Amino acid sequence: MSTGLLRDFDPEVADALREEAVRENEQIILIASENYVSDTVLSVQGSVMTNKYAEGYPSKRYYGGCENVDRVEELTVRRAKEIFGAEHCNVQPHSGTSANLAVYLTVLKPGDAILGMALSHGGHLSHGAGVNISGQLYQPHTYGVSRETGRIDYDEVRRIAHAVRPKMIIAGASAYSRIIDFEAFQEIADEVGAYLLADIAHIAGLIAAGLHPNPAPYADFVTTTTHKTLRGPRGGLIFCKGKYAKAIDRTIFPGLQGGPMMHTIAGKAVALREAKMPEFREYQAQVIRNAQAMADELISLGDAIVSGGTDNHLMLVDLRGRGITGDQAEKALGRAGISLNKNVIPFDEAPPAVTSGIRVGTPIITTRGMKEDDARIVAGFIDRVLRHIDSEEVIREVQEAVRSHCRRFPVYTDRLD
Ligand code: DSN
């Protein structure tokens, strides 16, 4: 159905879609976990493969007519394994959280101890948070970052691992701006006889481009989402050593999921093809350069960045020096057309709904073509809003400047009318 037909048939949905395209065009989006997919990925997601049931795996399906989806799934697996140098890949997880759950269900028993990065220090809900099934089914323990450096202290991880003897260690984060030493995690896991799961959801694109160490040679399991720096459709992947392949596949189907979303798997295939192009490596390098330029500029404007800077696509800005909360900052910046999220900072005394920080990421502005000068301009917009958080006049002024800057980097223009 064309946009025109949708407008006639369902004007409410058509209007919401158009408004979303306008929002994505007119705002500077700095949410570190989001990205803008290519038109190709977008169109494959809206393709006829959404129609097909394909429970099972290629050549072993529970439905007829799977010859075309089989080709696509095989292609996706092949590309994913090649890019990440993995022995096995399951491309069916609907999300990163379901990928993590599948790994736990494959090798852990209820009540087993797990050790992940604390949510309050940059970890993820699915790494053992009490409000998530991972923290309810298993006995969660946490490690964090050092108060002095804002970085993971591997000696401290080792000390905790020896004390709690986890069955699984989870390496990976949602709000950590430094290189993760997966080899060190593997050594610790080996010492205590734990499985190692590396959750690379945030940094998968950087790893695919060779700009962050790859955990695949070390970890028993690697999980990721496909829609963050990797810039594919919304979904998950699980990589593992060959010896776990059958068990992981059985956990995903029939254990945890029914029919795979073949249109999304086709989108993953296309995104992985894009990830093999030289332009992709340049994109990821620019994501990092932009994040570093933005961090440097914010520091020169007086902000504190947790750990003092960034090696990847994001940073955590500590707002305590400005005397404002993350919540106030998120709301004021939102009114100025700058979209990001409040975020707890390590050792935060403010509650999670308030927080003392914001998380800032550069994947989207880089997809739009912005470079270091633009990143510095965006840091200036942030600073101006945060200095005049109660001035609607300044916020309106910045909003106009944001719109005008965005007009130089248009996206999804065919979806605007
Ligand atoms: N919710 C994602 C993030 O924002 O980091 C992780 O799943």
Side-chain angles (χ1 to χ4, degrees):
M1 192 180 281
S2 74
T3 321
L5 283 176
L6 178 66
R7 211 165 30 236
D8 291 342
F9 178 70
D10 194 338
E12 287 156 293
V13 169
D15 195 47
L17 289 182
R18 199 192 80 84
E19 286 302 312
E20 177 59 14
V22 169
R23 188 188 73 84
E24 292 184 15
N25 240 289
E26 288 189 348
Q27 294 194 1
I28 290 176
I29 297 184
L30 299 171
I31 294 181
S33 48
E34 294 182 359
N35 213 331
Y36 289 175
V37 295
S38 66
D39 284 328
T40 327
V41 169
L42 208 51
S43 65
V44 170
Q45 280 256 277
S47 71
V48 289
M49 284 204 174
T50 195
N51 299 328
K52 190 70 197 98
Y53 249 123
E55 285 178 13
Y57 291 97
S59 311
K60 287 168 281 179
R61 306 282 192 187
Y62 291 85
Y63 293 83
C66 285
E67 56 277 17
N68 301 312
V69 294
D70 275 8
R71 272 166 55 202
V72 160
E73 184 163 344
E74 279 165 355
L75 206 52
T76 315
V77 169
R78 203 160 56 239
R79 288 178 184 167
K81 280 168 58 179
E82 187 191 322
I83 290 171
F84 290 92
E87 290 175 16
H88 179 70
C89 181
N90 186 305
V91 300
Q92 295 190 3
H94 298 327
S95 71
T97 293
S98 16
N100 286 343
L101 184 58
V103 171
Y104 304 147
L105 292 173
T106 300
V107 290
L108 300 179
K109 293 197 183 52
D112 279 350
I114 60 173
L115 174 60
M117 191 169 190
L119 190 58
S120 58
H121 281 222
H124 189 255
L125 279 171
S126 64
H127 297 177
V131 290
N132 183 265
I133 191 162
S134 58
Q136 295 163 0
L137 210 49
Y138 308 106
Q139 189 196 116
H141 298 274
T142 58
Y143 61 88
V145 297
S146 135
R147 197 183 273 276
E148 287 71 42
T149 62
R151 297 175 186 238
I152 296 169
D153 174 347
Y154 294 90
D155 291 335
E156 183 62 3
V157 178
R158 171 174 283 108
R159 188 193 64 71
I160 300 169
H162 281 267
V164 306
R165 312 297 296 188
K167 279 289 287 291
M168 178 171 285
I169 297 179
I170 303 137
S174 274
Y176 184 67
S177 65
R178 295 301 183 177
I179 298 284
I180 297 176
D181 187 346
F182 294 114
E183 197 175 353
F185 270 109
Q186 192 224 353
E187 278 169 21
I188 298 167
D190 283 350
E191 285 167 20
V192 298
Y195 295 105
L196 178 63
L197 162 61
D199 179 343
I200 60 167
H202 265 264
I203 52 175
L206 308 181
I207 292 173
L211 299 171
H212 187 291
N214 182 0
Y218 312 112
D220 299 287
F221 304 95
V222 178
T223 54
T224 187
T225 52
T226 41
H227 49 271
K228 297 187 176 89
T229 49
L230 195 54
R231 210 166 54 180
R234 190 157 292 277
L237 301 173
I238 302 174
F239 301 95
C240 64
K241 300 287 182 208
K243 60 183 169 183
Y244 307 118
K246 275 204 173 113
I248 278 288
D249 287 353
R250 267 200 307 273
T251 306
I252 285 289
F253 177 83
L256 201 53
Q257 296 187 173
M261 298 194 189
M262 294 314 307
H263 56 306
T264 300
I265 291 176
K268 290 173 185 174
V270 173
L272 290 165
R273 185 174 172 85
E274 290 175 357
K276 288 162 65 157
M277 302 292 162
E279 299 86 326
F280 185 81
R281 188 181 188 285
E282 180 43 34
Y283 162 68
Q284 299 293 344
Q286 189 65 49
V287 165
I288 298 173
R289 287 196 293 268
N290 285 353
Q292 290 175 337
M294 201 179 288
D296 288 348
E297 187 70 7
L298 286 169
I299 289 168
S300 76
L301 290 165
D303 275 309
I305 304 288
V306 173
S307 86
T310 179
D311 301 325
N312 61 26
H313 62 300
L314 66 79
M315 71 213 71
L316 269 182
V317 186
D318 178 347
L319 297 171
R320 288 173 303 181
R322 289 186 185 263
I324 57 176
T325 68
D327 189 48
Q328 287 171 318
E330 180 191 295
K331 289 193 170 107
L333 289 164
R335 290 206 301 285
I338 298 173
S339 173
L340 46 66
N341 60 285
K342 60 176 173 271
N343 215 103
V344 287
I345 53 170
F347 310 100
D348 208 333
E349 282 168 12
V354 177
T355 83
S356 302
I358 47 175
R359 187 181 64 165
V360 181
T362 53
I364 288 180
I365 62 165
T366 312
T367 291
R368 298 186 74 160
M370 296 189 196
K371 299 274 194 319
E372 290 96 314
D373 281 349
D374 305 292
R376 283 187 279 268
I377 289 170
V378 172
F381 292 156
I382 293 174
D383 176 60
R384 191 152 160 69
V385 171
L386 298 187
R387 273 184 207 281
H388 303 276
I389 201 152
D390 294 321
S391 164
E392 285 310 315
E393 196 186 330
V394 170
I395 288 177
R396 258 198 314 280
E397 223 178 78
V398 174
Q399 187 189 41
E400 199 29 63
V402 163
R403 280 204 188 129
S404 140
H405 202 78
C406 285
R407 276 196 283 276
R408 291 174 44 207
F409 302 92
V411 282
Y412 304 135
T413 42
D414 57 326
R415 285 154 209 271
L416 292 174
D417 21 75

